[in-house]
Amino acid sequence: MALYDLVVPPTHMLRQLHDLVDFSFVREELESRYCLDNGRLAIDPIRLFKYLLLKALFPASDWDLVERSRSDLAYKYFLDMAPEEQVMDSSSLTVFRKRRLQDEKLLDLLIGKTVQLAQEKNLLKSRTIIVDATHTKAHYNQKKPEELLHNQAKKLRKTLYGFDPSLREKMPKKPEKSTLETELSYCETLIETVSAWEGWTEIPAVGESLRLLQEMVEDDQEQLRFSADPDAKVGHKSADSAFFGYKTHLAMSEERLITAAVVTTGEKNDGKQLQELIQKSRAAGMEVETVVGDMAYSEKDNLIAASQEPEFQLISRLNPLVTQGNRAKEDEFEFNKDAGMYVCKAGHLAIRKARQGKKKRGKNQRDTYYFEVEKCSVCPFKEGCYKEGAKSKTYSVTIKSGEHEAQMAFQETEEFREKAKERYKIEAKNSELKNRHGYEVSSYSGLTGMQIQGAMAIFAVNVKRILKLMEEQKKETK
């Protein structure tokens, strides 16, 4: 270890992380997934887990990640490898993800470990959680599998032409008809051709583009044959902006440590995840007395739940359109606060709304939301929702003035305004996850893959934050 003491200083993040976290829990949790008395000796699950943590800290393909660990001594120190030790094959990471980490409890386990670590270091003192949801685009878009392969092959060719335009003449012939079979066959031929050209794959830009195409053809071929991404759904960021993918609903302490997370498909309502986020935060060891969130969390069920707990405060500004009231079919239509419209269970967003009735006339006003008849007529959930041949499909919500008088009075107080100012912190955390840890786009296909990615990314940002808090704590004690 004397060599590592020279080249990996105590201030290096990976050295600090190695010394801070006891990763033995990984082996304990995964022991039941291994055969202890048969087969060849397995790669240590702690090392495989650390590789995935490095992938979350420094986003890269599996191949590039393992290749870097061949020569980066900081990586080797973190992975508990001897300087001269050979690295494993990158395919072992794929097997580890698919066979060992398929556990719904992984996300809660990793968050719980970081919260426990923060409490042991006396870093977690607040009793307030800030809640929000961040969206992640699906690994595959709403495109046909052959389109995805075609586009990635095109990117590889353009990268090569940027270095040598004459390579156009050496490329394999493109398929005349684009089908999944022809595109797969062409991509396999293209990979073989480029791989045979001596020296070209050593160019970083070419090598990375080639490996991305290889992973798409080889590692994800099964998903490509069945669906681009069967679990991903359409969500809405605003009335005219949509995304195809997933949502991660987060709860974070005032110290900027994530205390709970729920990964859902993209169309799910933010407010309905609040009670689960509170329960998970408390299960992780966090005392929760105050919740800070945007208007999505001020729906009726959440206000009722908050009122039943003494000394509990919900810092979420009311929006009359968000309150649930006694709506018909309220389980089938949910309000999207970003778009300001309702979404049906098929994920279709209302195209316009109109308010009916007049104020102070004895009857409550109603907001009527209009959906596209063309979509409703072919919707798989149309039975009992859309009448065949109808010229319009609407959904109405009664606006109940005075329903939330206590919350309306509370949100006008100075205490409410001051606590609401803390909400910006979780926006910064969402940005960190996306811009520094690859959370903008899902790395894998399916909801389970998104949960694994979420678990590793959140574990990474939490341990980084713990290191930062420890540094600040050390400065204060001097």
Side-chain angles (χ1 to χ4, degrees):
M1 298 297 285
L3 175 62
Y4 285 138
D5 292 336
L6 292 173
V7 297
V8 187
T11 55
H12 196 290
M13 185 186 71
L14 291 182
R15 188 182 189 107
Q16 293 177 332
L17 186 56
H18 175 278
D19 299 341
L20 174 68
V21 182
D22 179 6
F23 289 96
S24 61
F25 72 89
V26 176
R27 190 180 291 115
E28 294 169 4
E29 291 294 330
L30 298 180
E31 184 178 4
S32 62
R33 295 175 180 267
Y34 287 86
C35 181
L36 302 179
D37 56 7
N38 196 11
R40 68 176 183 175
L41 188 64
I43 300 172
D44 189 345
I46 294 180
R47 180 172 295 179
L48 291 166
F49 179 86
K50 285 184 175 182
Y51 263 115
L52 293 184
L53 183 55
L54 286 172
K55 188 180 178 78
L57 288 167
F58 312 106
S61 69
D62 291 352
W63 189 93
D64 287 320
L65 179 70
V66 174
E67 193 62 22
R68 180 173 175 179
S69 69
R70 186 187 302 276
S71 57
D72 192 317
L73 289 179
Y75 272 41
K76 283 198 168 184
Y77 177 83
F78 179 68
L79 293 166
D80 292 311
M81 295 174 65
E84 70 280 4
E85 189 173 347
Q86 293 299 308
V87 298
M88 64 181 189
D89 190 279
S90 61
S91 62
S92 297
L93 282 178
T94 304
V95 174
F96 183 66
R97 274 195 303 268
K98 292 182 177 180
R99 296 185 182 178
R100 312 301 183 200
L101 294 185
Q102 301 292 317
D103 191 342
E104 296 178 357
K105 298 178 181 179
L106 178 67
L107 183 61
D108 297 338
L109 171 68
L110 297 186
I111 292 176
K113 291 294 180 182
T114 55
V115 171
Q116 180 183 350
L117 181 60
Q119 290 175 327
E120 290 173 357
K121 301 293 182 181
N122 198 29
L123 301 173
L124 191 59
K125 300 176 182 178
S126 71
R127 297 182 179 182
T128 297
I129 59 172
I130 309 165
V131 293
D132 197 15
T134 186
H135 70 277
T136 303
K137 296 175 184 176
H139 185 51
Y140 298 116
N141 295 321
Q142 284 179 294
K143 294 181 180 179
K144 294 179 180 179
E146 52 266 34
E147 290 182 276
L148 299 164
L149 290 167
H150 175 84
N151 291 343
Q152 187 57 42
K154 184 178 180 180
K155 289 179 182 178
L156 174 58
R157 294 196 304 270
K158 287 184 69 176
T159 303
L160 288 163
Y161 299 157
F163 290 98
D164 187 354
S166 67
L167 291 175
R168 295 176 185 272
E169 300 174 2
K170 301 179 181 180
M171 289 291 176
K173 185 180 179 181
K174 300 176 188 176
E176 295 180 0
K177 186 177 181 181
S178 182
T179 65
L180 180 58
E181 288 73 21
T182 59
E183 290 294 346
L184 278 170
S185 176
Y186 172 75
C187 287
E188 289 169 352
T189 304
L190 179 62
I191 291 169
E192 290 177 6
T193 302
V194 176
S195 299
W197 293 343
E198 186 175 352
W200 279 100
T201 57
E202 301 301 319
I203 301 174
V206 175
E208 183 177 354
S209 185
L210 178 67
R211 287 188 290 274
L212 285 172
L213 183 60
Q214 286 175 321
E215 286 188 5
M216 184 176 288
V217 172
E218 297 171 4
D219 295 343
D220 299 316
Q221 194 172 47
E222 184 178 350
Q223 284 84 356
L224 282 169
R225 288 189 177 279
F226 290 103
S227 173
D229 195 331
D231 291 335
K233 296 291 177 64
V234 176
H236 300 276
K237 295 181 284 184
S238 64
D240 55 359
S241 177
F243 70 94
F244 181 67
Y246 305 92
K247 275 186 179 181
T248 303
H249 307 267
L250 300 172
M252 184 186 77
S253 72
E254 289 182 307
E255 293 86 359
R256 306 194 189 203
L257 280 168
I258 296 174
T259 59
V262 177
V263 179
T264 67
T265 48
E267 87 287 3
K268 296 298 183 183
N269 174 275
D270 295 359
K272 292 191 181 301
Q273 316 305 321
L274 179 59
Q275 297 307 314
E276 187 173 358
L277 288 173
I278 294 173
Q279 292 170 7
K280 286 190 172 186
S281 293
R282 287 171 171 167
M286 173 83 178
E287 291 186 41
V288 181
E289 293 182 356
T290 304
V291 174
V292 180
D294 60 24
M295 289 189 293
Y297 300 94
S298 63
E299 61 181 44
K300 185 177 180 181
D301 290 343
N302 292 335
L303 292 173
I304 292 173
S307 67
Q308 293 174 346
E309 287 193 50
E311 307 301 323
F312 186 89
Q313 292 180 325
L314 177 58
I315 311 298
S316 176
R317 190 168 290 276
L318 286 173
N319 184 331
L321 298 177
V322 178
T323 56
Q324 301 298 302
N326 295 319
R327 297 186 287 110
K329 298 185 178 180
E330 64 179 299
D331 293 330
E332 297 180 15
F333 293 83
E334 295 182 343
F335 187 77
N336 184 291
K337 54 93 180 177
D338 295 317
M341 294 286 184
Y342 272 90
V343 180
C344 72
K345 65 179 180 180
H348 298 146
L349 187 74
I351 56 175
R352 70 182 181 93
K353 69 178 179 180
R355 181 159 293 187
Q356 299 175 342
K358 296 182 179 181
K359 293 182 178 180
K360 300 178 182 179
R361 289 296 181 91
K363 291 185 178 181
N364 293 325
Q365 293 177 290
R366 295 173 67 86
D367 274 351
T368 300
Y369 294 81
Y370 294 81
F371 292 81
E372 289 187 71
V373 178
E374 291 78 7
K375 292 182 179 179
C376 296
S377 62
V378 295
C379 178
F381 304 105
K382 68 179 181 179
E383 186 175 348
C385 180
Y386 171 76
K387 186 177 180 181
E388 200 67 39
K391 296 182 179 180
S392 65
K393 170 58 188 175
T394 63
Y395 181 65
S396 297
V397 181
T398 301
I399 308 301
K400 295 189 174 182
S401 58
E403 183 78 26
H404 310 279
E405 291 182 359
Q407 187 72 2
M408 289 173 65
F410 177 47
Q411 70 186 29
E412 298 302 321
T413 63
E414 189 63 29
E415 180 185 11
F416 183 98
R417 295 192 185 97
E418 285 299 314
K419 290 185 177 180
K421 291 179 181 179
E422 295 293 304
R423 209 185 77 79
Y424 79 93
K425 292 180 179 179
I426 201 163
E427 297 287 357
K429 185 64 66 175
N430 291 340
S431 177
E432 180 186 358
L433 283 166
K434 289 185 176 183
N435 297 326
R436 299 184 185 178
H437 300 283
Y439 220 64
E440 180 74 26
V441 178
S442 174
S443 299
Y444 319 112
S445 175
L447 186 61
T448 302
M450 187 67 235
Q451 289 171 337
I452 293 173
Q453 182 179 352
M456 301 309 302
I458 292 170
F459 187 81
V461 297
N462 269 4
V463 292
K464 281 174 57 182
R465 183 59 184 165
I466 289 172
L467 289 173
K468 181 67 174 177
L469 290 171
M470 288 175 63
E471 182 182 342
E472 294 174 355
Q473 188 182 64
K474 189 176 180 180
K475 289 179 180 179
E476 290 175 0
T477 56
K478 286 185 178 179

